[in-house]
Amino acid sequence: MNPFTRWPRAADAVLAFAAFLLTVFLEDGPGDSLLIRPPGEVSLLVLPVSAAGAAALYWRRRGPLIVLGVALAVWAVTIAGGGEQGGLTVLIALYSVGRHGAVNRYVPVGITVAIILLGIDGRDDAAPWLEVVIVGILFMFGSWYVGRRLRLRGERAAQLLREQTAESRRILAEERTRIARELHDVVAHRVSLMTIQAGAAKAVAAQDLDGALQAMGAVEQAGRQALDELRHLLGVLRPETDLDGLGPQPGLADLPRLLAQIRAAGVEVALVADVAPDGLPARVDLFAYRIVQEALTNVLKHAGPGARTEVRLGAGESEIVIEVLNDGHGTAVMAGPGAVRAGTGGHGLVGMRERALLLGGTVDARPRPGGGFRVVAHLPTEGRPA
């Protein structure tokens, strides 16, 4: 970071003092050389006027156009008084207008006046007046243009930073939405199991104490598994968490364990797999598992124990086809004010469709003509987004 950025006010004060010294004590020598003017030869008119022009540079960031006007007036006075080197302050002021000021109609006027003053200041040189004007255009316009380009570059950099910040926030919001869907899919499945088992335990507690205790044990196990998966998923929200101890995400290879849990809840479920889960991309494998999990969770919610369900896995052309069918003839035990009724909306179907869409696939979920429900998902094996 340069001193003009780190200490702007102090740097401008030093710049103003240096411009004053160069304007007052520097003069042209023979052969385009520069000489140091002795203090005794400094004009009493040039000294205070040059000091005023150089001091104006201290405010070059706050009022660059006003500073340019002061610098031009000071240069005109020094030319009238026989002084030299007044153009240095004007060059700095023009740069400041481009760097810190807005473009308006006064900028071309200031550049034009600066070129005219340079031509008048160099009238005694051997170079033709036209050549002096051309050099003046290059120097005066060039000083403003350099400042302007640096301003535009800084604005573009600031805009890019704002866009990157907005993009980071958008990605963070999408990631949190994804985690919310993940939490719903995982926890809803576990809680559904717990609710079914608790309801079954309540129903048989009076007649079959051992069965009720067994059901409550299943509730405890499902609750522990839900807590484990919550810790796993919430770890994503904590970057400082050590992820080495977390288990891998589930996939189609874990379906037998999932189906065993569903059977333990009283739902008859069969698996017909015509495709091997090996070799699938991780995201396809995970999303396929989550879709099956959500579909079975819906069976528990809407049909209950006793429903006959079939999970079919097939392979199409560059895709995997998932089909979950149930007859809807189970005996739901989730009666009461908080029960989930058939046909009520929820995040489950939305989550399944969003997962399929992220892979470029589709999900079709609708009631079956003979009763029950059918979910069919087509997931491209390449997992490319639509």
Side-chain angles (χ1 to χ4, degrees):
M1 183 180 294
N2 61 66
F4 287 94
T5 303
R6 188 170 184 179
W7 305 291
R9 307 310 301 164
D12 287 343
V14 173
L15 177 65
F17 184 68
F20 168 73
L21 294 179
L22 293 175
T23 301
V24 173
F25 297 106
L26 201 64
E27 63 179 352
D28 291 332
D32 294 332
S33 61
L34 295 175
L35 301 176
I36 302 298
R37 179 186 289 118
E41 298 181 6
V42 177
S43 170
L44 295 180
L45 173 65
V46 172
L47 186 62
V49 172
S50 298
L57 293 178
Y58 183 75
W59 291 275
R60 68 188 187 92
R61 300 173 191 266
R62 299 181 181 179
L65 276 175
I66 297 176
V67 171
L68 176 60
V70 172
L72 291 172
V74 167
W75 196 11
V77 173
T78 56
I79 290 175
E84 298 175 346
Q85 307 301 334
L88 176 62
T89 304
V90 174
L91 285 173
I92 299 174
L94 282 171
Y95 167 83
S96 301
V97 169
R99 185 70 177 86
H100 305 290
V103 178
N104 55 46
R105 64 180 183 274
Y106 297 108
V107 174
V109 174
I111 295 175
T112 302
V113 173
I115 294 172
I116 294 173
L117 291 177
L118 179 64
I120 296 174
D121 194 14
R123 65 188 181 278
D124 295 332
D125 295 341
W129 189 83
L130 181 60
E131 182 178 337
V132 174
V133 171
I134 294 175
V135 172
I137 293 174
L138 293 177
F139 275 88
M140 299 303 171
F141 178 79
S143 297
W144 173 83
Y145 183 76
V146 169
R148 183 63 183 171
R149 294 306 301 174
L150 290 176
R151 176 188 175 93
L152 293 177
R153 189 175 70 176
E155 290 176 349
R156 283 196 299 268
Q159 178 65 23
L160 180 61
L161 181 60
R162 287 193 294 269
E163 291 175 355
Q164 291 175 343
T165 302
E167 179 69 10
S168 298
R169 290 175 179 173
R170 184 188 65 81
I171 293 174
L172 179 59
E174 290 182 354
E175 183 67 11
R176 287 180 175 175
T177 301
R178 183 192 67 82
I179 293 173
R181 290 198 304 265
E182 199 78 1
L183 280 171
H184 168 266
D185 293 342
V186 174
V187 178
H189 171 71
R190 301 295 184 193
V191 173
S192 295
L193 289 176
M194 294 167 62
T195 306
I196 294 295
Q197 293 287 0
K202 180 180 178 181
V204 302
Q207 293 83 17
D208 186 2
L209 182 59
D210 292 336
L213 292 175
Q214 184 178 0
M216 293 308 298
V219 171
E220 180 184 7
Q221 182 181 5
R224 294 182 184 278
Q225 291 173 344
L227 287 176
D228 289 340
E229 299 226 25
L230 273 174
R231 293 190 189 100
H232 173 76
L233 291 169
L234 293 177
V236 179
L237 298 176
R238 302 191 184 111
E240 70 275 7
T241 301
D242 183 9
L243 300 179
D244 295 337
L246 299 178
Q249 290 278 19
L252 292 178
D254 299 300
L255 281 183
R257 185 179 61 180
L258 174 65
L259 300 186
Q261 295 171 354
I262 298 296
R263 294 188 188 102
V267 175
E268 299 180 21
V269 58
L271 174 63
V272 179
D274 297 329
V275 58
D278 299 334
L280 290 175
R283 58 186 179 277
V284 179
D285 196 23
L286 172 62
F287 282 11
Y289 176 88
R290 294 304 189 199
I291 288 174
V292 174
Q293 182 185 49
E294 182 60 42
L296 294 177
T297 299
N298 287 339
V299 174
L300 284 173
K301 288 180 180 179
H302 302 302
R308 284 193 292 247
T309 306
E310 185 174 12
V311 178
R312 300 174 183 173
L313 300 179
E317 184 177 354
S318 300
E319 68 175 5
I320 180 173
V321 181
I322 301 170
E323 188 173 12
V324 180
L325 307 169
N326 75 85
D327 58 8
H329 295 155
T331 304
V333 298
M334 298 174 60
V340 179
R341 304 295 180 182
T344 57
H347 297 286
L349 295 180
V350 174
M352 285 191 285
R353 290 193 176 99
E354 287 183 353
R355 290 180 188 278
L357 185 61
L358 289 174
L359 298 177
T362 60
V363 167
D364 180 48
R366 64 183 63 189
R368 300 173 65 187
F373 210 76
R374 176 176 181 264
V375 176
V376 180
H378 296 262
L379 307 180
T381 53
E382 296 299 325
R384 295 174 182 172

